[in-house]
Amino acid sequence: MGENNKIQLFEDKRIRMAWDEEREVWLFSIVDVVAVLTEQDTQRGATFYWGKLKQRLNEEGSQLLTNCQQLKLLAADGKRYNTDVANTEQLLRIIQSIPSPKAEPFKMWLARVGSERIDETIDPELAIERALVTYLKKGYTREWINQRLQAIQVRKELTDEWDDRGVKQGLEYAILTDEISKAWSGMTTRQYKNFKGLKKENLRDNMSTLELVLNMLAEATTTEISKTVKPKNLKENKEVAKSGGGVAGNARKEIESKTGKPVITADNAVDFSRLISDIIESDVGDGN
């Protein structure tokens, strides 16, 4: 666990947060968020409110608190104390239970997002349109966006092929993705993200057009080899992943030989990770 001293300001109020390197998630101090949303004057008041809310959630049979954890976070007196923390999903669930005007925009946003996801299940094309609008808002060029959407399709074809070969989602997906990444870029996904100074941000969203193209080549080639070889277990799938990634790796080396400069750089997109409040503000503000 790293960066336990990080402070995020929300309406000039401090919200302590920590980065979980292993799970790649931000963890937020629940009592700090409660203090802001319920406009508590003191930390003691916020702690008391959170204690009562925990009791009510337990009585309602909520499993939320079972999955929450504690971290030693730095307090105002300069000492570290065990503090209840929650990831984004858990925090949003807690916010739903707080009857506060300040929590209402979050609740409206959650309801709208839920409605959008149901609509996208009925009509998947809506998800593509939403992705296009989101990338445009973030400042990406249309040319880059076209490549990124194509990369999503290529990745989907690869994971469909892995499913057909009995590869399990989660750890085995990650293992094979790392094999492809190492073969074409020389780095695992985590090493690649570290090289670009990323944490939770999506690696592909921080690739240049050329990086995206080579990554697509690696994944598309892996898919085609897999369809031909028909690997029967994880070990055989790893060999296929190395072969597919190797094709793109050779292409990268050839490009670097011709241009005299590395394809992979530490350059990344603008840091788009913002506290949930920023997302709510922009979404609610434009009336979408």
Side-chain angles (χ1 to χ4, degrees):
M1 188 71 63
E3 297 193 35
N4 287 353
N5 295 327
K6 189 170 179 64
I7 301 294
Q8 176 73 51
L9 292 181
F10 177 79
E11 295 188 347
D12 297 325
K13 301 292 180 65
R14 63 199 294 274
I15 294 179
R16 291 166 294 171
M17 52 200 292
W19 174 251
D20 186 324
E21 185 76 27
E22 183 176 346
R23 292 186 294 162
E24 296 189 356
V25 296
W26 282 108
L27 298 172
F28 302 88
S29 166
I30 299 173
V31 71
D32 291 353
V33 175
V34 167
V36 173
L37 294 180
T38 61
E39 299 182 278
Q40 298 293 325
D41 294 329
T42 65
Q43 188 79 359
R44 181 184 294 274
T47 301
F48 179 77
Y49 188 102
W50 170 230
K52 286 292 186 181
L53 181 56
K54 280 199 293 186
Q55 181 180 346
R56 195 182 83 207
L57 289 170
N58 276 326
E59 290 172 352
E60 293 174 354
S62 172
Q63 297 298 309
L64 174 69
L65 300 178
T66 304
N67 299 320
C68 285
Q69 65 183 97
Q70 286 192 332
L71 291 177
K72 283 188 175 296
L73 298 183
L74 196 65
D77 62 4
K79 298 179 181 179
R80 291 183 180 273
Y81 300 96
N82 281 330
T83 306
D84 289 335
V85 294
N87 60 31
T88 304
E89 180 180 354
Q90 294 165 337
L91 194 60
L92 288 171
R93 174 63 187 88
I94 291 169
I95 290 170
Q96 286 178 302
S97 301
I98 297 177
S100 163
K102 286 184 176 292
E104 198 58 31
F106 291 89
K107 296 177 183 179
M108 290 172 60
W109 177 71
L110 287 170
R112 180 161 54 80
V113 168
S115 176
E116 288 174 353
R117 296 304 177 271
I118 292 172
D119 290 343
E120 289 166 5
T121 301
I122 298 171
D123 183 2
E125 188 174 334
L126 292 173
I128 298 174
E129 292 175 357
R130 181 173 59 84
L132 175 61
V133 172
T134 299
Y135 282 124
L136 284 171
K137 283 183 177 180
K138 289 181 173 181
Y140 289 106
T141 65
R142 286 189 175 272
E143 292 75 16
W144 184 94
I145 293 170
N146 289 335
Q147 293 291 347
R148 183 67 181 94
L149 295 179
Q150 182 62 38
I152 293 173
Q153 178 60 32
V154 169
R155 177 67 179 182
K156 179 64 167 58
E157 291 172 358
L158 174 60
T159 56
D160 285 347
E161 173 63 18
W162 282 346
D163 289 341
D164 291 342
R165 301 299 161 207
V167 177
K168 297 182 178 65
Q169 293 189 29
L171 179 59
E172 292 188 356
Y173 269 32
I175 290 172
L176 296 182
T177 300
D178 273 347
E179 291 295 339
I180 295 172
S181 181
K182 283 188 294 185
W184 86 260
S185 72
M187 293 179 283
T188 65
T189 303
R190 182 69 262 170
Q191 289 169 338
Y192 205 156
K193 292 181 76 169
N194 288 342
F195 181 66
K196 285 182 173 287
L198 306 175
K199 284 186 166 60
K200 190 175 177 61
E201 302 92 337
N202 187 291
L203 176 58
R204 291 173 177 81
D205 283 355
N206 287 272
M207 287 182 175
S208 67
T209 299
L210 189 51
E211 286 174 294
L212 270 178
V213 168
L214 287 173
N215 193 67
M216 277 195 288
L217 175 61
E219 295 192 330
T221 305
T222 299
T223 300
E224 293 306 310
I225 295 175
S226 180
K227 289 178 179 178
T228 301
V229 175
K230 296 179 173 56
K232 299 178 180 61
N233 52 48
L234 182 60
K235 181 179 179 181
E236 292 181 3
N237 273 288
K238 286 175 67 175
E239 292 303 316
V240 169
K242 290 178 184 177
S243 297
V247 171
N250 290 334
R252 174 180 65 82
K253 293 171 186 175
E254 182 69 15
I255 293 170
E256 291 174 341
S257 174
K258 298 294 185 183
T259 63
K261 57 184 180 181
V263 167
I264 300 169
T265 74
D267 295 339
N268 57 59
V270 176
D271 183 6
F272 300 117
S273 61
R274 296 173 294 176
L275 202 58
I276 301 170
S277 58
D278 296 326
I279 299 174
I280 300 300
E281 181 180 347
S282 63
D283 281 357
V284 174
D286 62 18
N288 286 338

